[in-house]
Amino acid sequence: MEMFENNKFVLHRIKFFILIILQISAIVISLLIFAFFITHRAILNILQNQALLALIIVNFVELVADLPMPISFYYLGYVKPATNGYCIWWTFFEYNLHLISELLVATISIQRHILIFQANIFHNRFKRFMFYYIPLVLCFIYPIILYIIIIILYPCDGTQWDYTSNLCGYANCYLIYNKVLGTFDWAANNGSPVVIIMLANMTLVIRVIRHKRRQRQANSWKKQRRMTIQLLTISSLYLFAWLPSLIIGVTQQLNSPSFLANIQTDYTLDFIYLIALLSPWIYLKLLPELMKWLGNLLHRGQIVHNVVRPI
């Protein structure tokens, strides 16, 4: 028992240092990205960058408002404050951010097909509103309404929480006591977006390759390749972060709650935090204009430093 607690302490401390180091760097890069979009409105007018900015904002909220809670848990080794209300708020807030982020990437994956192959659809204001902006807005509205109903309003006495596990043991009443709701949340809410992301990316690659062979236009291919690589890179991070916990979570709901339970709580569920922690680094590579802007800032700073340095 003592060795088990020591192992837990070491694991928690390792997670604490990894999370806080990655969090600080991700926040700095995110702030630079926001500054870039504010000073480059023309870049923000590009339709695909608007959806990307919405995704960056959601990930930034997770970095500054949600991640401090698991970081605090891994530092202390227990949930503080250990109350029913805190666990309800924490799970409601985190589940919302994760599902909104997933739905946004799934929506962006579908919209990217239209942007590459039928961009003229979005030239019409009504169609742009209906097929671009409304789906993005629904990605925010649906999770909030859903989790108000199944987390906040779900009748439960609050005695099921595990204050010695991250996110209070993921012990929401609907996950423990309602197999239908639990399976729906894991499979339909979290699983469906992942399936859509995979299928949309695979078909996009096939369509782009076939289109390149037919068109043989260098300029058109360059734009398509850039938009495709942008989507593939972001989607790959989401698939890596979500697939392990999804497979285990659905199996637990359908078969046995104890299936790989320790692996799930100690490792795979923490992979989901990597989305917010690593995505700002990906955006740096995916926005060449951003890299040029940062390079110019560093160059100017170096010139100023050299000018004011005393002889």
Side-chain angles (χ1 to χ4, degrees):
M1 183 67 180
E2 186 177 344
M3 183 175 290
F4 173 77
E5 290 178 357
N6 288 336
N7 290 338
K8 279 282 186 182
F9 175 80
V10 172
L11 180 62
H12 286 178
R13 280 305 161 98
I14 291 171
K15 289 182 180 181
F16 168 77
F17 285 113
I18 291 173
L19 287 176
I20 204 163
I21 290 169
L22 292 177
Q23 181 202 33
I24 292 169
S25 60
I27 288 173
V28 171
I29 295 172
S30 297
L31 291 174
L32 288 172
I33 293 171
F34 292 140
F36 169 75
F37 277 123
I38 290 170
T39 55
H40 295 74
R41 296 298 177 89
I43 301 294
L44 192 54
N45 289 335
I46 300 172
L47 212 54
Q48 63 262 27
N49 288 341
Q50 294 173 16
L52 190 63
L53 179 61
L55 189 59
I56 294 169
I57 291 171
V58 172
N59 290 335
F60 183 74
V61 171
E62 182 169 356
L63 285 172
V64 298
D66 177 61
L67 267 170
M69 290 185 276
I71 287 174
S72 170
F73 168 78
Y74 286 128
Y75 179 75
L76 297 172
Y78 55 88
V79 175
K80 184 180 180 181
T83 63
N84 177 51
Y86 179 71
C87 289
I88 289 174
W89 161 249
W90 187 1
T91 53
F92 172 76
F93 188 54
E94 185 161 311
Y95 290 5
N96 262 295
L97 289 173
H98 288 169
L99 183 53
I100 289 170
S101 181
E102 259 195 296
L103 292 174
L104 279 173
V105 175
T107 304
I108 291 169
S109 299
I110 295 170
Q111 290 176 340
R112 194 56 55 99
H113 283 259
I114 304 173
L115 285 164
I116 291 176
F117 299 105
Q118 295 172 304
N120 59 312
I121 290 177
F122 291 137
H123 294 165
N124 180 286
R125 183 178 295 180
F126 176 77
K127 290 181 179 178
R128 184 167 64 247
F129 183 75
M130 288 296 297
F131 299 116
Y132 190 80
Y133 292 115
I134 285 184
L136 294 177
V137 171
L138 290 176
C139 292
F140 290 84
I141 294 175
Y142 169 71
I144 293 172
I145 294 174
L146 171 73
Y147 287 125
I148 285 176
I149 295 171
I150 67 175
I151 291 181
I152 295 178
L153 300 181
Y154 194 96
C156 198
D157 59 10
T159 59
Q160 81 286 354
W161 301 111
D162 180 2
Y163 300 119
T164 63
S165 294
N166 184 39
L167 210 69
C168 304
Y170 298 83
N172 300 86
C173 289
Y174 78 94
L175 288 173
I176 295 177
Y177 304 124
N178 193 321
K179 187 166 283 191
V180 174
L181 265 181
T183 305
F184 173 78
D185 191 36
W186 270 112
N189 289 327
N190 297 125
S192 296
V194 169
V195 173
I196 291 170
I197 292 168
M198 285 193 296
L199 293 176
N201 278 271
M202 287 189 293
T203 54
L204 182 63
V205 171
I206 294 169
R207 290 184 71 185
V208 166
I209 292 172
R210 292 173 67 179
H211 186 72
K212 181 200 172 187
R213 289 175 178 173
R214 283 199 307 264
Q215 297 293 324
R216 299 186 181 280
Q217 295 178 7
N219 291 334
S220 175
W221 163 243
K222 186 177 180 181
K223 181 182 177 182
Q224 290 173 353
R225 185 183 66 175
R226 178 178 167 183
M227 293 175 71
T228 305
I229 291 174
Q230 186 185 65
L231 178 62
L232 285 174
T233 310
I234 296 170
S235 301
S236 298
L237 176 60
Y238 276 76
L239 294 177
F240 170 79
W242 270 104
L243 274 177
S245 59
L246 270 174
I247 294 169
I248 296 173
V250 172
T251 306
Q252 287 176 340
Q253 292 296 322
L254 296 176
N255 186 21
S256 169
S258 61
F259 176 72
L260 296 180
N262 291 334
I263 299 295
Q264 180 81 314
T265 55
D266 289 341
Y267 299 101
T268 57
L269 285 168
D270 289 324
F271 288 173
I272 301 171
Y273 295 131
L274 293 176
I275 293 171
L277 294 167
L278 299 181
S279 56
W281 294 94
I282 292 174
Y283 301 140
L284 277 180
K285 295 292 184 182
L286 297 182
L287 295 168
E289 299 89 351
L290 172 60
M291 293 299 291
K292 290 177 184 176
W293 178 69
L294 289 175
N296 290 334
L297 283 181
L298 293 172
H299 184 62
R300 280 184 220 157
Q302 189 176 14
I303 291 174
V304 171
H305 176 73
N306 290 336
V307 169
V308 300
R309 188 174 56 191
I311 300 174

